[in-house]
Amino acid sequence: MNPVMLIAVPLIAAFISSLFAKRSSLLLLFAAFVNSVIAIAVSLSAINGSYSMGGWSPPYGIELVVTDMTRVLVPAVNILAFFAIVVYWRRQDSPGKYSIVYTISLAALNGILLTNDLFNLFVFLEIAGVSAYLLASTGKTGSSKVAAFKYLMIGSVGSILYLLGVVLVYATTGTLNISEIAARISLGQINGDVLLLSSLLFMIGLGVEAKLLPLNGWVPDVFTKSSGPATLVLASIYPLAMISAFIRVLLAVRDERTMGAVLVLGVATVIGGEVVAFGQKRLRRTLAYSSIAQSGLAILLVGVGTAGAIAASVMIIVNNALAKFVLFSVDGLAIEKIGSDDIEKITGFGRTSQVTGLVFTVSALSIAGMPLFMGFRAKLLVISSSFDTGLLIPVIILLAAAIEATYYFRWIFSLYKPPFSRVEPLKERLPLELLTIGIILAAVLVFLGTSSGETLAIFDRAGNFMEEIIFMGKTLIGGM
Amino acid sequence: MSILTLIVVSLLAAPVLYVVARLNRRIAYVAYAGLQLLSFFTVFFSRGSTLSYEVIGITERLNFNFGLSPANWFFGSIVMLVISMSAVFMLPLNKTPAKVMLLALVSAGALGAVFSMDFLTLLIFWEISTWASLILIIQDREKSVKEAIKYVSIGAVGSYAMLFSVFYMLRELDAIDFSTVAVRIEKAPVHVQLVIFISLSVMVLAKLGTFPLHTWLRGSHSCAPDEFSPILSGAMTKIGAFLLFIVAVMIPSLKIFSQLPLFNGIPLANYVLAALGGVSIVVGTVMAIRMEDAKELIAFSTVSNSGYIVLALAIGGTYATVGGLMHVLNHAIASAAMFMAVAAVAYRTGTTKIHEMGGLIVKMPVSFAAYLVAIISVAGIPPTSGFVSKWLIYQQLVQDGLPFLAFAAFFGSIGSFMYVFKPLAGIFLGQLKPEHRSLKEAPLAMVFPMAFLTLLTVFWGILPSNAIRAINTVTESVGADSVRITFSRIIALTGQWDSILVTGVFAVGFFLALLIFMKAKRARRVELMDNYTSGEFIYTAELYHFSYRMYRPFDRMFERWPSMEMWLASLSDKIRELGHLIRAVFFPKNPQIYVAYALVVLLGAFWWLR
Amino acid sequence: MIITILSAITLLVVAFCYTVTLEGLARKIEARIQRRYGPPFWQNFIDIFKGLTKHSISHGFIFDFGVLMALGGTIATVLFIPAGSIVVFPGLDNVFVVIYLLAIGLLGMAMSAVGSGNPNASIGIGRALTQMLGYELPFMIVLLGVFFHYRTSSLSELVELQISGGSYNAWIMPIGAIVAFISLMGMLGKKPFDTFIAPAEIASGPLVEYSGKYLGMLLIQHAFATFIEIGLFVNLFLGGGRTLWEFLLKFFLVYFLAVIISSIMPRFRVEQAVKFYWKWPLILSFAQVVIVVFAMGR
């Protein structure tokens, strides 16, 4: 199964939607569903290797590459996108006239995950970025448009810097193929300063989307103000692709000094995210800052650079995707039913529906890293990898984790605390889709948390993906 | 059945019990109690050799390791005894499906933890138990949320310190199971030894509830559902004692740190730990004396007794180690019994505030008896088992010549008379309130566990050799010395004590007193309100019951003591403020600043890294 | 076995008669210091027997049981005190056992007193317990030094070691002996440390509701407790006695000293008493034990 279908199907659906505007949401659902099926097929059956586009073999043509990491992330992205659409299908917050944007973003995200060409990556980043700006503006209030505008500003700057990096690399290596670039750099063919500058440019350029401090100012407002499905997509699905891009590019254009900078900024992001999240009184904002912190964790592992660290990074973003999906969904539900997600107002919400409270708790505990859940296995891997850099980093991560556990538990308690008056179960029916999908995702988190080591080997293999890439590159260069 | 099967069954029982409880709560709780009793009997009667199962892989190199060494058996029996007794105890109380599921998780985690053979298994199962207990704590009372948050943060500090030490151990010693670490750590450089010791000690202090990480006990124990407080205090903190045993005794800390400067003959690392235990004894005792709520009082008593355990196991030596282990046993039983008695009273009266009750001895004599024996044990008076452990610890302190630690130990012991007496006087003795006139004794399901624990306390007080023989096998299994005992006598280097003799003499004395009592003239029974009142008439019982602020003069002496609780609360505020600062700097309103940051970081990084 | 029983009975009888007599004598001495005549020295015997032979009231089960526990525990403790040549349980009379058995007595009386329902009694008990925290601490610290020095915590062994060593602890550890004596006065409940009785303030505190046989039994208990406490001090610091008479003589001297000092003193409030004990006596006890542990060694 050629993975290009993953990009083609949503694109075609998008084009058709532009003609038949009324059917756009249906087309979106259809595209997402088909993509999920294809994604699973690709993940299970496709062989690791490259798929060239248009008959032009690399390095002259664009190629899509399937590695162990793509095997993990591609189904995650597509299935979660499908779930996101389903969850909001019948509610007032549904994609509606923005469906075409969702469709295009799905295509772009898949493109980011699959492509092995730097400029192609830029194109997809731009498409995904523009979709993101539009998605960010879907909120009901005017401030959502302002938030989207801020995102637009910093995102554009990031894209320009990324492009500058691409130009630099192209000028020095003569190729845009990531594998070839990785191979050349690992053989030492690039000047040190050029390498440094280009990797820094990539770090900043991709760091905007990857929520690196101090480039992540757009995150809180965007996540808080945009509409339900948009937040789901932006918060749980986008990081999967964006951080995967960050990992691939920075490991390809690898400079040890930049890795140090990545490490430092990653740590700063984690600390910043957790500390600010600690003081927030609204659930959405807390989750936004927590997302920043999780990204920071994933990024600093890139800075560590070992295979174990990359595996841990992938586990973190998958855990984040699954759990944040549920958390943001429950939050959306609370806002819809109660009107606000303030910590005072939301007390006892978990008791109105057993399932809601349960899935929220499971997800929150998974992000906080409690055993029995996937987040704990991820955390074990994170700590053991971070010891490679000395003693300071693990200590800082653990301190931040302590703060994180505290505020997540505060939210769990708040959800369960019996308020002053008796809580009656909500009279209206809760959306069945949300409950079902919530249960599915929670079950996945528990399963991955308690399954034996073999299941997690997929993540370990994902961590090793770079070797394949470099190997492919070396064959391209001609086996020097 | 094997221990492994038991652990797996307990884990799986959690969701099953939840579903059962949705249908019929009573059956679910009875099933839970049955499972705990079964677990206890399985554990208690499986005193075998060390078996090790390597099961589910955690990551590529690490597996869960369970085993049945004497230490595992000892701590497992204590933990399961308390949990099973509490499981029976809670049958009449408020039942919900969520609670029984969380309780099942707590028990499963506790089982897994005490039967672990390596640090990571211990940590994982302990954590399961911890987060389940956190959610359990907030189930009943409104104000429990704030208190539970303290438990979260202090518990997280401890857990992550232990997680740090696990991976540090893995790097430096390439092993995380207890026995291998104990061997390899002796050859490791000093800083490695100290880092491991300190990080594990942080976990011990946090989970036992010892100074300076003791502030969570007060709120969590007192606000937890009444049926859960015995488990928190009697079982879960004792897992901390298990870790302490491993860190201080199994890993021969005295031998390892003997290169460090000695203070009073004890290596500095151990002495600092013991000193923290000593401070904990004093702080716990003083604060307990000042409390007005029975459960908060017992919570601080737990702080104090945790200090004893830390002190005893840290200073090492034959008597202190055996005494410390025995104190784990004694305190688990006594604390559970105390909480149960208070819970029984609260079940009937609806309150745990001491000054709102009084004179309940006539209505609830069994609860009174259970509470009385428990407090005698905590105060360390023969013929209860509490005396044995204290006596052994004193012998070690005398033998080593440790005046400052001995001061703390004596302070705790004598001060405990004060605070254990207060609920006794306030709740059970004195004037009965009119609204409590129609109370009945606690239901049988509550009476039975209390009575059983009381009998155990008395049994091991009269015949401590039974318990000490078991503890001797534990210490011998890790290469430490054991205490010489005969059937009724304990022989230490600095003294001997014959428990049956003392009990016998006490019985003789009592009998003599009884003789005199019988021979003298009969007394006429008179109402409690009929008192010496200097000729006044009184009608209201409440005004006549002295229990509120019983130790006010003492309380006044400590009013201006620095409070650890306030210090930690202010720490939380500081983090919040830091958050606001970061938010103001890095998340401003204007996008231009973001762009500026991007460029600054880029240029700065390039310039710095060239 | 027979010897044990015989010596036990002898000890009880001697302790009872001697202490009650001394109590009477003390009243006489105190009176004379205060320029009164005072009652006859056998007055306390009369009081006890009068109490035991009168009807009285009882406030319930715990009221009775507590008194039994108090007297029973105290009688039991007496049997562990060596009195010169009368040693009932040589080698097994650990000081900690003595102190804690005494605590049973105190606990019994406390339960019974509070069980009477009179708030005066509760106030008195509260003060007694608080004060106990005051005087016990310096005492126990000094004892730690003594035990460390002699490597034993058995009373009879300590007596033997002092006698065979030739010098009493009072000369070897003078500071400790003084501190122990001050604690002793607290233990005995003599002025200035009698706030828990405080006759005029809280109507005798714990004893307020006792009359008849209860009062009689508690007076016996008080006598035995006095014997135990002063006996402890004599055995620990003054070398006990080679014979019974030597012991009784030292006993009398210590008691006499305590009575004289207390007869001219007013009363501390309970927090004043505790603060007092935690200041100089505690500091001195630490000083003493530091000297013993570090300088003197074993």
Side-chain angles (χ1 to χ4, degrees), chain B residues 248 251-259 262 265-267 270 313-317:
Chain B
I251 297 177
S253 59
L254 282 181
K255 208 166 42 147
I256 291 177
F257 293 124
S258 51
Q259 309 302 320
L262 300 180
I266 297 192
N270 289 58
L313 289 176
I315 63 176

Side-chain angles (χ1 to χ4, degrees), chain B residues 94-164:
Chain B
N94 176 27
K95 311 179 192 23
T96 70
K99 273 204 234 178
V100 73
M101 175 172 81
L102 293 167
L103 280 167
L105 279 173
V106 168
S107 332
L111 257 184
V114 290
F115 283 103
S116 60
M117 294 293 274
D118 72 83
F119 286 102
L120 189 57
T121 313
L122 175 59
L123 178 62
I124 292 178
F125 277 94
W126 207 347
E127 272 308 283
I128 296 177
S129 211
T130 304
W131 69 251
S133 66
L134 275 169
I135 304 183
L136 198 42
I137 289 178
I138 61 156
Q139 293 295 323
D140 269 358
R141 289 185 177 80
E142 182 78 41
K143 62 175 174 152
S144 50
V145 173
K146 279 221 186 69
E147 308 298 337
I149 295 288
K150 287 187 207 162
Y151 185 12
V152 173
S153 40
I154 295 184
V157 166
S159 310
Y160 293 143
M162 187 165 175
L163 191 59
F164 176 82

Side-chain angles (χ1 to χ4, degrees), chain A residues 41-338:
Chain A
V42 165
S43 167
L44 291 175
S45 65
I47 41 171
N48 281 8
S50 76
Y51 295 79
S52 47
M53 299 289 106
W56 295 92
S57 58
Y60 304 109
I62 297 173
E63 62 166 350
L64 302 180
V65 70
V66 173
T67 63
D68 289 313
M69 189 159 92
T70 31
R71 272 187 210 287
V72 172
L73 293 178
V74 158
V77 165
N78 288 292
I79 297 181
L80 280 178
F82 175 58
F83 281 167
I85 315 270
V86 168
V87 164
Y88 277 98
W89 184 242
R90 283 184 299 163
R91 289 153 64 174
Q92 10 161 237
D93 243 359
S94 71
K97 60 182 178 183
Y98 283 93
S99 304
I100 189 171
V101 182
Y102 284 91
T103 326
I104 294 185
S105 71
L106 185 59
L109 290 174
N110 278 302
I112 297 176
L113 283 174
L114 291 167
T115 185
N116 204 25
D117 181 287
L118 268 185
F119 190 73
N120 194 225
L121 184 60
F122 171 74
V123 169
F124 281 124
L125 278 173
E126 279 293 287
I127 301 178
V130 170
S131 319
Y133 309 147
L134 284 169
L135 288 178
S137 69
T138 52
K140 294 198 199 46
T141 60
S143 47
S144 124
K145 320 290 191 259
V146 175
F149 178 71
K150 283 197 266 187
Y151 189 11
L152 169 66
M153 301 266 344
I154 187 68
S156 308
V157 170
S159 304
I160 302 287
L161 291 175
Y162 175 81
L163 190 57
L164 203 52
V166 172
V167 166
L168 213 52
V169 167
Y170 189 36
T172 38
T173 58
T175 173
L176 286 169
N177 188 297
I178 294 184
S179 324
E180 194 180 333
I181 294 172
R184 285 195 194 276
I185 291 180
S186 69
L187 294 170
Q189 293 182 359
I190 311 289
N191 180 344
D193 274 346
V194 170
L195 189 59
L196 175 66
L197 184 59
S198 45
S199 58
L200 280 178
L201 282 168
F202 286 130
M203 177 181 89
I204 304 284
L206 291 168
V208 173
E209 286 290 349
K211 308 197 192 74
L212 195 60
L213 200 86
L215 312 159
N216 50 17
W218 56 271
V219 176
D221 288 329
V222 167
F223 282 18
T224 331
K225 305 275 180 10
S226 56
S227 70
T231 317
L232 276 185
V233 171
L234 286 174
S236 68
I237 307 175
Y238 262 71
L240 287 171
M242 296 304 180
I243 299 217
S244 132
F246 190 93
I247 295 176
R248 277 192 302 141
V249 172
L250 276 201
L251 284 184
V253 187
R254 185 176 180 149
D255 182 317
E256 293 313 314
R257 295 165 289 181
T258 316
M259 287 303 179
V262 168
L263 192 62
V264 168
L265 285 179
V267 168
T269 315
V270 173
I271 299 177
E274 304 291 20
V275 171
V276 181
F278 184 76
Q280 294 307 311
K281 294 229 176 344
R282 298 226 300 269
L283 183 56
R284 257 215 168 150
R285 234 168 232 287
T286 315
L287 293 175
Y289 286 108
S290 167
S291 301
I292 294 178
Q294 293 290 310
S295 290
L297 205 52
I299 292 176
L300 83 86
L301 288 166
V302 177
V304 174
T306 62
I310 303 298
S313 190
V314 172
M315 281 184 82
I316 290 278
I317 53 177
V318 170
N319 178 44
N320 181 62
L322 296 172
K324 284 279 161 45
F325 189 98
V326 177
L327 290 170
F328 274 110
S329 308
V330 172
D331 175 82
L333 188 67
I335 295 187
E336 201 179 297
K337 301 294 181 196
I338 307 180

Side-chain angles (χ1 to χ4, degrees), chain B residues 264 380-382 391 394 398-399 403 411 413-414 417 431 494 497 522-524 526-528 530-532 553, chain C residues 52 55-59 94 97 100 104 117 129 132 136-137 140 147-148 152-153 209 213 271 289 294 298:
Chain B
N264 250 4
I381 299 180
W391 188 83
Y394 291 152
V398 163
Q399 187 182 325
F411 189 97
S413 194
I414 299 164
F417 292 156
Q431 303 287 350
T494 45
W497 173 53
R522 276 222 5 215
R524 197 184 72 210
V526 155
E527 269 304 309
L528 236 61
D530 193 348
N531 256 322
Y532 172 71
Chain C
L52 290 176
H55 286 284
S56 66
I57 56 135
S58 159
H59 279 294
N94 200 283
V97 175
Y100 280 98
I104 297 186
L129 290 173
M132 191 166 80
E136 283 284 356
L137 279 179
M140 304 285 279
F147 300 151
F148 179 79
T152 176
S153 49
E209 284 291 314
K213 66 180 172 186
E271 68 263 25
V289 90
F294 293 112
R298 292 168 187 271

Side-chain angles (χ1 to χ4, degrees), chain C residues 79 97 168-169:
Chain C
L79 296 177
V97 175
Y168 300 149
N169 279 336

